[in-house]
Amino acid sequence: MKIGFIGVCRTTMDLAARAAKSGHQVLISHTRSNNHVRDLVGMMEGKVKLVSRREAAEAKMLVVFVPREDIQLFLSDLPDMSEKILLHANNPIYSLECLAPSLNLKSSGEIIASLLPEAHIVKIHNIVDSEIQVSPKKVQSGNELFYTGANKEAKNKVKSFLKTLNFLGIDFDEMYLETKFAYSPN
């Protein structure tokens, strides 16, 4: 499968390296300059290519890690995203002004959904507080990636994709229901 990456961080580069090693075609576009990651990409095994944002967005699945204040700039001119799966990684924040409560701003997920309403957006998390991770049926191993989203088919594809990368994909929604019923007073 062809996987596009817009934005680079430790998590997205780990996902990209694992995807390439697993046989996926990987297209990476850094939000600042591809020159910053050229050496890292050169060390990856498999089919990895530095491309423009538009080229990365042509992939069937897209992983996005964009500074919150730049979401509109980097995602507003992407090609048709109909039926594509967009994995929204946690966004870095470089300006505290964008968090001012008086601005009554949308979350980064809401901004992405408004810019790309035709895409199936799945939020992924690699770090979750240990109290949240408590599940009556699962013991965490440290190799989990957590995800949540509205489209069940998209989430199933994400879970399958994560499995090809040797991650255990855990659906927050299912985990919540398991935990809720396990600790229900009834």
Side-chain angles (χ1 to χ4, degrees):
M1 178 176 12
K2 190 184 289 188
I3 312 294
F5 288 81
I6 296 178
V8 172
C9 70
R10 190 174 302 200
T11 300
T12 59
M13 289 304 283
D14 181 42
L15 288 172
R18 286 176 183 237
K21 192 173 184 175
S22 297
H24 297 284
Q25 184 179 359
V26 175
L27 306 173
I28 298 175
S29 177
H30 191 357
T31 55
R32 299 295 178 217
S33 167
N34 281 342
N35 290 332
H36 290 101
V37 294
R38 192 169 309 282
D39 291 340
L40 288 172
V41 169
M43 291 186 288
M44 289 184 186
E45 297 176 27
K47 301 179 215 169
V48 183
K49 186 176 176 184
L50 284 173
V51 298
S52 69
R53 279 181 293 127
R54 292 186 67 77
E55 289 173 290
E58 290 173 5
K60 187 171 191 146
M61 188 177 291
L62 183 64
V63 179
V64 175
F65 181 81
V66 177
R68 188 195 184 287
E69 54 271 23
D70 293 336
I71 292 172
Q72 179 113 19
L73 173 70
F74 289 109
L75 302 184
S76 63
D77 66 344
L78 295 182
D80 182 23
M81 297 296 288
S82 297
E83 300 304 312
K84 292 192 180 190
I85 297 172
L86 188 146
L87 294 175
H88 172 218
N90 293 339
N91 298 91
I93 297 171
Y94 295 117
S95 167
L96 292 178
E97 290 81 40
C98 74
L99 298 177
S102 61
L103 296 177
N104 196 21
L105 298 175
K106 294 179 181 178
S107 71
S108 57
E110 290 170 321
I111 296 168
I112 292 171
S114 70
L115 291 171
L116 306 169
E118 64 281 359
H120 299 299
I121 299 170
V122 177
K123 178 82 173 165
I124 59 173
H125 309 268
N126 65 326
I127 300 171
V128 177
D129 187 283
S130 60
E131 284 187 33
I132 295 172
Q133 290 186 38
V134 172
S135 173
K137 296 181 182 176
K138 294 183 177 84
V139 175
Q140 277 69 41
S141 67
N143 205 32
E144 299 85 9
L145 274 181
F146 300 85
Y147 60 90
T148 185
N151 185 291
K152 185 153 181 71
E153 184 179 336
K155 290 194 304 182
N156 287 336
K157 288 179 181 178
V158 168
K159 184 174 186 172
S160 295
F161 168 65
L162 293 175
K163 188 174 183 177
T164 70
L165 307 184
N166 295 316
F167 279 115
L168 173 61
I170 299 177
D171 185 339
F172 266 132
D173 305 316
E174 289 177 6
M175 189 173 77
Y176 171 75
L177 289 174
E178 286 177 10
T179 305
K180 180 179 175 184
F181 291 119
Y183 297 111
S184 175
N186 296 332

Coordinates of all heavy atoms in Angstrom, one line a residue, residues 136-137 173-186:
P136 N -9.6 -4.3 31.6 CA -9.7 -5.5 32.3 C -9.2 -6.7 31.5 O -8.9 -7.8 32.1 CB -11.2 -5.6 32.5 CG -11.8 -4.7 31.5 CD -10.8 -3.6 31.2
K137 N -9.1 -6.7 30.2 CA -8.7 -7.8 29.4 C -7.3 -7.7 28.8 O -6.9 -8.7 28.2 CB -9.7 -8.0 28.3 CG -11.1 -8.3 28.8 CD -12.1 -8.5 27.6 CE -13.5 -8.8 28.2 NZ -14.4 -8.9 27.1
D173 N -12.4 3.6 21.4 CA -13.8 3.5 21.6 C -14.2 2.1 22.2 O -15.0 2.0 23.1 CB -14.5 3.7 20.3 CG -14.2 5.1 19.7 OD1 -14.2 6.1 20.4 OD2 -13.9 5.1 18.5
E174 N -13.6 1.0 21.6 CA -13.8 -0.3 22.1 C -13.3 -0.5 23.6 O -13.9 -1.1 24.4 CB -13.2 -1.4 21.2 CG -13.8 -1.5 19.9 CD -13.1 -2.5 19.0 OE1 -12.2 -3.2 19.4 OE2 -13.5 -2.6 17.8
M175 N -12.1 0.1 23.8 CA -11.5 0.0 25.1 C -12.4 0.7 26.2 O -12.6 0.2 27.3 CB -10.1 0.6 25.1 CG -9.3 0.4 26.4 SD -7.6 1.0 26.3 CE -7.9 2.7 26.5
Y176 N -13.0 1.8 25.8 CA -13.9 2.6 26.7 C -15.1 1.7 27.0 O -15.4 1.6 28.2 CB -14.3 3.9 26.0 CG -15.4 4.6 26.8 CD1 -15.1 5.3 28.0 CD2 -16.7 4.5 26.4 CE1 -16.1 5.9 28.7 CE2 -17.7 5.1 27.1 CZ -17.4 5.8 28.3 OH -18.4 6.4 29.0
L177 N -15.7 1.1 26.0 CA -16.8 0.2 26.3 C -16.5 -0.9 27.1 O -17.3 -1.3 28.1 CB -17.5 -0.2 24.9 CG -18.2 0.8 24.1 CD1 -18.6 0.3 22.8 CD2 -19.3 1.5 24.9
E178 N -15.4 -1.6 26.9 CA -14.9 -2.7 27.7 C -14.8 -2.3 29.2 O -15.2 -3.0 30.1 CB -13.6 -3.3 27.2 CG -13.7 -4.1 26.0 CD -12.4 -4.6 25.5 OE1 -11.4 -4.4 26.2 OE2 -12.3 -5.1 24.4
T179 N -14.1 -1.2 29.3 CA -13.8 -0.7 30.7 C -15.1 -0.3 31.4 O -15.3 -0.6 32.6 CB -12.8 0.5 30.6 OG1 -11.6 0.0 29.9 CG2 -12.4 0.9 32.0
K180 N -15.9 0.4 30.7 CA -17.2 0.9 31.2 C -18.1 -0.3 31.7 O -18.6 -0.2 32.8 CB -18.0 1.7 30.2 CG -19.3 2.3 30.6 CD -20.0 3.1 29.5 CE -21.3 3.5 30.0 NZ -22.0 4.2 28.9
F181 N -18.2 -1.3 30.9 CA -19.0 -2.4 31.3 C -18.3 -3.3 32.4 O -19.0 -3.9 33.2 CB -19.4 -3.3 30.1 CG -20.4 -2.5 29.2 CD1 -20.1 -2.3 27.9 CD2 -21.6 -2.1 29.7 CE1 -21.0 -1.6 27.1 CE2 -22.5 -1.4 28.9 CZ -22.2 -1.2 27.6
A182 N -17.0 -3.4 32.3 CA -16.3 -4.2 33.3 C -16.4 -3.6 34.7 O -16.5 -4.3 35.7 CB -14.8 -4.3 32.9
Y183 N -16.5 -2.3 34.8 CA -16.6 -1.6 36.1 C -18.0 -1.1 36.4 O -18.1 -0.4 37.4 CB -15.6 -0.5 36.2 CG -14.1 -1.0 36.0 CD1 -13.4 -0.7 34.9 CD2 -13.6 -1.7 37.0 CE1 -12.1 -1.1 34.8 CE2 -12.2 -2.2 36.9 CZ -11.5 -1.9 35.8 OH -10.2 -2.4 35.7
S184 N -18.9 -1.5 35.6 CA -20.3 -1.1 35.9 C -20.8 -1.7 37.2 O -20.6 -2.8 37.5 CB -21.2 -1.6 34.7 OG -22.5 -1.3 34.9
P185 N -21.6 -0.9 38.0 CA -22.1 -1.4 39.3 C -23.2 -2.4 39.1 O -23.5 -3.0 40.1 CB -22.6 -0.1 40.0 CG -22.8 0.9 38.9 CD -21.9 0.5 37.7
N186 N -23.7 -2.6 38.0 CA -24.8 -3.6 37.8 C -24.3 -5.0 37.8 O -23.5 -5.5 37.4 CB -25.5 -3.3 36.5 CG -26.2 -1.9 36.6 OD1 -26.5 -1.5 37.6 ND2 -26.4 -1.3 35.4

